[in-house]
Amino acid sequence: YDHEQLKDSLTHLTNNGLRSVIIIGGGEPTAYKGFEDIVRHLKAMDIQIGVVTNGSMMKKIEAVADVLQERDWVRLSLDSGTNNTFRAMHKPGSKKCTLEWICEHIAAIKRLNPKFMIGFSFIIVWKDCETNDMKIIENVDEIVTAAELAKKSQFDYISFKPFLTRAELNNAEVV
């Protein structure tokens, strides 16, 4: 992206009624080199922000924690209660990026700014789930472990959602 053009577009949208932005992507949104600047630009215009992250770059969340407010939120897509399942599902590039390492950052971020919500997202996957002819790692047996980890790590909430796929007949999302 052309960074200044992105900021100009966000300013234009805000001037025409934009009130909130969810920062999400087909990859990791905090990996964008201008992530912090974009968040600060949006907050300077009083835009409500949500961020969906895989947690691999928690320092980026810490860097913007000071500007986040009560209406803002960060949700971590973790989908597991153990590091083995987390690594099998998400295949993080770095060995340091473990489920425990990610969760250890939550208390520090909450100390920096307890106003905004930090959530633990868990998509429930059971036996024989697949997408694009690829099996998805089963995690249904880790629901309790994940809830305990979220509580211990000081997340504000945990959300459980079923794994969805598309029906061949009408392309509707189905469990």
Side-chain angles (χ1 to χ4, degrees), residues 23-96:
I23 301 172
I24 191 171
E28 174 53 32
T30 62
Y32 176 57
K33 65 179 169 47
F35 173 79
E36 183 178 350
D37 188 44
I38 291 297
V39 169
R40 291 185 180 283
H41 180 69
L42 289 166
K43 291 313 299 175
M45 296 184 296
D46 199 31
I47 299 297
Q48 179 185 1
I49 295 177
V51 179
V52 179
T53 175
N54 65 18
S56 64
M57 303 179 97
M58 294 302 290
K59 292 290 184 194
K60 296 277 193 106
I61 300 300
E62 289 177 25
V64 298
D66 64 311
V67 296
L68 299 178
Q69 301 167 322
E70 288 179 9
R71 299 177 306 147
D72 301 321
W73 53 267
V74 174
R75 186 175 68 233
L76 284 80
S77 299
L78 301 175
D79 309 313
S80 55
T82 66
N83 189 54
N84 286 341
T85 300
F86 171 77
R87 292 193 65 82
M89 290 180 97
H90 294 282
K91 298 178 183 13
S94 168
K95 289 188 191 275
K96 76 170 175 115

Side-chain angles (χ1 to χ4, degrees), residues 29-169:
T30 62
Y32 176 57
K33 65 179 169 47
F35 173 79
E36 183 178 350
D37 188 44
I38 291 297
V39 169
R40 291 185 180 283
H41 180 69
L42 289 166
K43 291 313 299 175
M45 296 184 296
D46 199 31
I47 299 297
Q48 179 185 1
I49 295 177
V51 179
V52 179
T53 175
N54 65 18
S56 64
M57 303 179 97
M58 294 302 290
K59 292 290 184 194
K60 296 277 193 106
I61 300 300
E62 289 177 25
V64 298
D66 64 311
V67 296
L68 299 178
Q69 301 167 322
E70 288 179 9
R71 299 177 306 147
D72 301 321
W73 53 267
V74 174
R75 186 175 68 233
L76 284 80
S77 299
L78 301 175
D79 309 313
S80 55
T82 66
N83 189 54
N84 286 341
T85 300
F86 171 77
R87 292 193 65 82
M89 290 180 97
H90 294 282
K91 298 178 183 13
S94 168
K95 289 188 191 275
K96 76 170 175 115
C97 186
T98 65
L99 181 61
E100 293 80 12
W101 178 85
I102 292 167
C103 291
E104 286 169 3
H105 286 81
I106 304 307
I109 292 170
K110 295 303 282 182
R111 280 192 300 275
L112 286 171
N113 183 354
K115 293 178 187 172
F116 69 99
M117 301 284 280
I118 302 178
F120 186 121
S121 180
F122 189 109
I123 295 176
I124 303 167
V125 181
W126 50 92
K127 186 179 178 192
D128 299 329
C129 286
E130 61 179 52
T131 186
N132 299 326
D133 297 324
M134 291 182 61
K135 288 238 181 248
I136 307 298
I137 305 296
E138 185 176 346
N139 66 1
V140 68
D141 59 332
E142 295 187 9
I143 291 173
V144 172
T145 308
E148 291 169 346
L149 179 60
K151 183 176 183 178
K152 180 182 112 188
S153 302
Q154 300 180 30
F155 281 86
D156 293 302
Y157 67 90
I158 186 167
S159 64
F160 294 102
K161 302 170 200 148
F163 175 80
L164 299 175
T165 189
R166 295 270 179 196
E168 285 185 35
L169 180 65

